[in-house]
Amino acid sequence: MQRFLITEAAKHIGEKVKVCGWVNAKRAHGKILFIDLRDISGIIQVVFVPSNKEIYNLAQELKPEWVVEINGQIVKRPTQMVNDKIETGQVELSVDSLKILSQSETLPFSIDDVGYEIGEDIRMKYRYLDLRRERLKNNLITRHKIIKFVRDFLDKEGFIEIETPILTKSTPEGARDYIVPSRQHPGKFYALPQSPQQYKQLLMVAGLEKYFQVAKCLRDEDPRGDRQPEFTQLDMEMSFVQQEDVMDLTERLLILMIKNLFPEKKIQEIPFPRISYEEAMKKYKTDRPDLRKDKNDKNLLAFCWVIDFPFFKTGSDELGYPDGKWKPTHNPFSAPKPEFMEDLLNQKNIGKILTTQYDVVMNGFEIGGGSIRNHKREALEAVFEIIGYKKEFIEEKFGHMLNAFSFGAPPHGGIAWGLDRVVSLLLNEPNIREVIAFPKTGDGRDFMMSAPSEIDKNQLNELHIKISEQNQNKDKKKSQKTHKLKVVKKEKSKKSKK
Ligand code: ASP
């Protein structure tokens, strides 16, 4: 017999069905034994009566979270037994046969409730159990629906979803790179992408015109607030567009997605109000103001765009840029606003140059940002020179971009959303970890897989890496410091250089 999902099965009153799932709860009423059976779709009450002796005895052994297969008949419950709280509350399953597919130990924590109060380390260690919780299951389903909606929308708009590499060379995005040593090229390293920024621009040079990707981004940042070392962006790039086009597309997509998937939510103001960086700082003392008129309403969404950011700032708080020089407030690949192009090329009035950057803010959280890019070689070179990079360095790090721009690069621009943040805010979740299947803890650890972990000597040797002595004797559990890696060039590689 074919298996039915529980909520489907419940519709077949009077019919015989097969269902499979987990024992959610077990209870006895006098001689009658009930279990609540759970699958992805919902819960149904299953009834075992003593007259059916063999099955009844087997059912006595059932414990919470055992996995079973049950054949039986869907019957209407007597009126006084109807349970309005569950979707299948009108019916129950009268059992013909019971098969135990798998047993379960007692779970380390309860999964019946929302689970916020349970310690993070234990939730993360047993994440696959944590995810059995209704709240987290629904979060992942909603996340899927959001991504599907976005994909369908962008497909209709003529976008192509294209994957870009994970093993790459670093992009300056103001964070530290995760580094992967190369076995085949001793002493050389890949970087994991902080975002697909350069690749998506190169796809525009390639003539693909409208790109998007649900992209993993990796940034080795110190634990700060609600961050994850790896997170997901909805990344987009378009050719022959201006600021207005990218903002319009983003706004249409956000509004339509919310109207379709979150009809209970109210968007405070459409079109989204636009505020200059200067005005935002003056009026709200932040560049991501929370414009909600009623901050107690959990279904109120107040969006705004923040625009007209200064292109450069001074200060030495950002990684990857020379100290004491100008650094981009956002993206080094951005174009200035057209009226500041002269100044950029002449490297004049640097502090006054405004960028085409636009950030989209929802209820006080920046949920996305992007810009129109410099598609001309000399403009991008000027940015790097202002940052203080030397000519050889620019050539070494960004030669491929400059080269690409000398082969007919179209004007282009794009945006990326912090997808985890969008999903968590729409679900009123306090933390992006609640909408990621397997997140890391605040300090970047995966308690379930025990990552990061040591690797054995052979692996290290193959990668030409030696852990420096000062780190070797440290208490491994307590030490959370990054191991200093030292590259050991083998005889072989020395020889090959000759
Ligand atoms: N790559 C940028 C970021 O990660 C987004 C963009 O400008 O498209 O913030």
Side-chain angles (χ1 to χ4, degrees):
M1 200 196 259
Q2 189 202 333
R3 176 197 171 208
F4 273 101
L5 283 177
I6 279 170
T7 46
E8 262 315 298
K11 293 175 190 158
H12 293 258
I13 297 172
E15 291 176 39
K16 300 271 186 187
V17 295
K18 174 164 107 183
V19 289
C20 300
W22 286 259
V23 175
N24 200 61
K26 180 179 150 191
R27 60 190 172 273
H29 273 291
K31 286 252 153 81
I32 302 179
L33 194 67
F34 293 96
I35 66 164
D36 288 338
L37 185 72
R38 182 188 79 237
D39 70 9
I40 182 81
S41 70
I43 283 181
I44 192 167
Q45 176 165 285
V46 182
V47 194
F48 298 90
V49 287
S51 53
N52 208 339
K53 200 165 171 221
E54 204 179 315
I55 298 171
Y56 183 78
N57 288 343
L58 188 59
Q60 300 274 18
E61 290 174 30
L62 293 176
K63 297 216 168 61
E65 298 309 303
W66 286 26
V67 183
V68 294
E69 177 187 305
I70 295 174
N71 284 282
Q73 189 180 20
I74 299 288
V75 292
K76 252 188 157 347
R77 293 198 202 183
T79 327
Q80 70 276 19
M81 304 288 273
V82 166
N83 178 358
D84 290 333
K85 288 197 191 109
I86 59 170
E87 199 188 323
T88 65
Q90 300 279 340
V91 298
E92 57 193 16
L93 182 62
S94 167
V95 181
D96 294 333
S97 74
L98 164 69
K99 195 157 137 193
I100 294 168
L101 300 178
S102 177
Q103 302 189 353
S104 170
E105 305 278 335
T106 306
L107 301 194
F109 44 67
S110 136
I111 56 165
D112 298 337
D113 42 24
V114 283
Y116 292 114
E117 69 300 334
I118 303 166
E120 186 189 38
D121 38 358
I122 190 110
R123 275 184 66 198
M124 292 308 157
K125 179 164 183 203
Y126 296 100
R127 184 62 162 177
Y128 47 88
L129 299 179
D130 200 30
L131 292 176
R132 285 187 189 172
R133 189 182 302 291
E134 178 87 356
R135 174 175 66 90
L136 291 187
K137 177 189 84 178
N138 288 338
N139 285 359
L140 291 186
I141 293 172
T142 305
R143 183 185 176 112
H144 157 76
K145 286 186 178 156
I146 291 174
I147 293 175
K148 174 155 189 337
F149 191 91
V150 164
R151 282 204 160 109
D152 291 345
F153 175 94
L154 292 175
D155 176 64
K156 274 201 206 106
E157 295 271 333
F159 281 76
I160 306 167
E161 184 169 10
I162 304 171
E163 291 155 88
T164 53
I166 287 290
L167 290 178
T168 179
K169 191 168 160 171
S170 99
T171 314
E173 311 251 356
R176 202 178 282 108
D177 284 321
Y178 278 103
I179 297 296
V180 180
S182 163
R183 176 182 61 81
Q184 285 167 307
H185 305 279
K188 298 214 164 124
F189 299 84
Y190 300 98
L192 304 181
Q194 294 187 27
S195 86
Q197 183 67 35
Q198 296 188 40
Y199 285 109
K200 68 174 176 174
Q201 290 193 246
L202 293 168
L203 287 170
M204 295 303 103
V205 180
L208 272 310
E209 295 211 17
K210 287 179 172 183
Y211 142 97
F212 85 98
Q213 180 179 194
V214 177
K216 273 284 163 96
C217 301
L218 301 112
R219 299 181 187 179
D220 186 1
E221 294 178 296
D222 291 333
R224 183 150 44 110
D226 182 19
R227 289 212 174 153
Q228 284 283 308
E230 54 179 302
F231 59 96
T232 306
Q233 281 187 346
L234 168 64
D235 194 38
M236 298 178 244
E237 197 75 7
M238 288 158 259
S239 291
F240 308 109
V241 289
Q242 290 170 353
Q243 210 177 9
E244 203 55 47
D245 303 304
V246 186
M247 291 166 78
D248 172 68
L249 178 106
T250 305
E251 205 166 312
R252 277 194 293 125
L253 173 49
L254 277 169
I255 293 168
L256 208 64
M257 188 256 285
I258 288 161
K259 283 199 168 147
N260 275 270
L261 301 182
F262 301 89
E264 72 284 6
K265 306 246 176 222
K266 187 175 172 287
I267 299 176
Q268 183 167 286
E269 195 178 340
I270 296 175
F272 302 168
R274 296 176 182 200
I275 309 169
S276 72
Y277 170 79
E278 200 183 347
E279 190 192 338
M281 294 309 287
K282 236 190 240 154
K283 237 171 137 173
Y284 307 103
K285 309 223 164 10
T286 170
D287 58 2
R288 30 189 178 80
D290 184 352
L291 299 183
R292 276 175 301 171
K293 288 188 181 126
D294 175 2
K295 295 205 172 68
N296 295 316
D297 180 353
K298 67 184 176 74
N299 285 328
L300 183 63
L301 300 174
F303 289 94
C304 69
W305 287 102
V306 182
I307 51 173
D308 293 347
F309 288 91
F311 201 139
F312 299 97
K313 62 179 178 190
T314 48
S316 54
D317 57 336
E318 215 113 327
L319 280 159
Y321 296 114
D323 278 349
K325 299 269 188 183
W326 294 103
K327 45 215 77 192
T329 59
H330 288 80
N331 195 325
F333 299 100
S334 300
K337 295 190 79 184
E339 59 271 34
F340 295 96
M341 187 54 99
E342 279 281 312
D343 279 353
L344 179 82
L345 292 173
N346 295 322
Q347 303 185 25
K348 265 182 21 202
N349 304 322
I350 293 169
K352 294 217 166 69
I353 299 176
L354 298 182
T355 152
T356 51
Q357 178 78 27
Y358 29 79
D359 280 358
V360 57
V361 176
M362 176 163 94
N363 293 2
F365 290 89
E366 186 202 319
I367 57 163
S371 63
I372 301 302
R373 326 295 181 188
N374 276 324
H375 69 285
K376 291 210 175 124
R377 189 186 163 114
E378 55 277 17
L380 185 57
E381 265 169 339
V383 173
F384 290 137
E385 281 168 19
I386 290 171
I387 293 173
Y389 292 150
K390 299 266 173 342
K391 277 235 159 13
E392 310 77 67
F393 184 85
I394 298 175
E395 202 39 57
E396 183 203 320
K397 290 281 180 198
F398 306 105
H400 55 285
M401 293 294 280
L402 298 167
N403 254 338
F405 289 175
S406 61
F407 291 108
H412 58 283
I415 191 165
W417 300 5
L419 200 65
D420 310 296
R421 170 77 56 218
V422 171
V423 179
S424 68
L425 287 173
L426 290 173
L427 284 165
N428 292 312
E429 284 289 7
N431 193 300
I432 61 171
R433 285 188 281 250
E434 306 297 337
V435 302
I436 297 174
F438 297 105
K440 308 266 185 301
T441 56
D443 63 354
R445 282 183 291 169
D446 177 337
F447 279 130
M448 187 179 69
M449 308 288 279
S450 297
S453 63
E454 276 136 23
I455 55 173
D456 68 36
K457 271 224 165 70
N458 292 339
Q459 274 178 301
L460 283 174
N461 286 343
E462 266 190 345
L463 294 169
H464 326 283
I465 282 175
K466 202 169 159 187
I467 309 290
S468 70
E469 272 172 24
Q470 67 195 79
N471 277 309
Q472 246 164 19
N473 302 325
K474 277 201 179 148
D475 179 345
K476 284 158 194 166
K477 274 194 185 136
K478 277 184 194 159
S479 162
Q480 289 170 14
K481 282 192 184 153
T482 325
H483 285 169
K484 282 191 184 156
L485 300 178
K486 196 169 146 193
V487 176
V488 189
K489 294 210 172 129
K490 283 191 179 165
E491 278 305 306
K492 207 168 69 184
S493 64
K494 273 190 203 153
K495 270 182 208 153
S496 66
K497 273 189 185 162
K498 280 177 193 165

